[in-house]
C-alpha cells in the first residue's frame, strides 16, 4: 500500500459513516453507509430493503467519508474507488459495526454487507484553524 492509501485507511477508521456512490438503472445515486476497516479493505453495512447493494455488488463504486477534528479545526476527507462485492462478515466484524439501526424509512433494518478493496485513493485536509468549526446552519434567510 502507498503512504496515501495507508493514511486513507487510518482516517476511515476514525469516521464511522460515509457515502457510497454508483449508478442504478443508468442514474447516479449516493447512499449513506456505516463502514469499518478490516484487513486493509473497507466493509460497508447497508439496509437491504433499499436495494442499493444490488447496484453496488460487482460494480465499481466510489466511497467517501469525512472526519472533522474540532480541536485542530481540520477536516480530513477520504475518497476512493474500488469494486464492491457482497460478503458475509465474521462475528468480530459484525461486532465492530456496533448497534444496528432499528428502522430505515420506517422499515425494520435488514443488514447487507459489501467489501470494497480501495484501488484509487485520495485524501484531502481542509484547515479551518485551531478551535474553529464550520458553520452548521446552511439556510439563507
Amino acid at each position: 500500500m502507498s503512504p496515501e492509501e495507508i493514511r486513507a485507511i487510518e482516517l476511515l477508521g476514525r469516521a464511522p459513516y460515509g457515502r457510497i456512490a454508483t449508478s442504478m438503472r443508468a442514474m447516479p445515486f449516493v447512499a449513506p453507509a456505516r463502514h469499518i476497516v478490516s484487513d486493509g479493505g473497507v466493509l460497508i453495512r447497508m439496509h437491504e430493503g433499499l436495494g442499493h447493494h444490488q447496484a453496488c455488488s460487482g460494480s465499481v463504486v466510489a466511497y467517501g467519508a469525512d472526519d472533522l477534528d474540532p480541536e485542530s479545526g481540520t477536516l480530513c476527507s477520504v475518497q476512493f474507488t474500488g469494486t464492491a462485492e457482497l460478503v458475509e462478515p465474521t462475528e468480530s466484524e459484525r461486532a465492530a459495526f456496533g448497534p444496528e439501526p432499528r428502522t430505515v424509512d420506517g422499515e425494520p433494518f435488514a443488514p447487507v454487507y459489501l467489501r470494497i478493496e480501495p484501488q484509487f485513493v485520495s485524501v484531502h485536509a481542509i484547515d479551518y484553524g485551531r478551535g474553529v468549526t464550520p458553520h452548521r446552519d446552511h439556510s439563507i434567510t
Side-chain angles (χ1 to χ4, degrees):
M1 268 192 203
S2 74
E4 187 162 43
E5 289 170 326
I6 292 168
R7 182 168 177 239
I9 292 294
E10 176 186 297
L11 290 169
L12 281 172
R14 297 192 322 230
Y17 293 90
R19 297 153 311 281
I20 191 166
T22 193
S23 61
M24 183 186 253
R25 295 189 283 292
M27 299 297 288
F29 77 90
V30 177
R34 172 78 171 96
H35 69 265
I36 62 167
V37 175
S38 177
D39 294 327
V42 178
L43 196 58
I44 309 267
R45 180 179 72 190
M46 304 174 75
H47 175 53
E48 184 178 38
L50 298 175
H52 295 152
H53 65 289
Q54 294 169 334
C56 295
S57 182
S59 298
V60 173
V61 300
Y63 192 76
D66 304 316
D67 181 53
L68 175 64
D69 178 357
E71 243 182 70
S72 70
T74 301
L75 173 71
C76 290
S77 182
V78 176
Q79 302 86 37
F80 67 87
T81 58
T83 302
E85 298 295 333
L86 284 169
V87 296
E88 228 5 86
T90 65
E91 284 304 315
S92 62
E93 288 171 331
R94 281 181 192 270
F97 276 104
E100 294 178 351
R102 292 181 311 146
T103 64
V104 174
D105 295 337
E107 292 181 20
F109 181 75
V112 64
Y113 300 88
L114 296 162
R115 182 172 181 81
I116 306 169
E117 298 294 333
Q119 295 169 350
F120 301 101
V121 177
S122 65
V123 178
H124 302 284
I126 303 167
D127 185 1
Y128 285 91
R130 188 166 202 76
V132 177
T133 56
H135 189 57
R136 295 186 186 267
D137 183 4
H138 304 292
S139 59
I140 299 173
T141 54

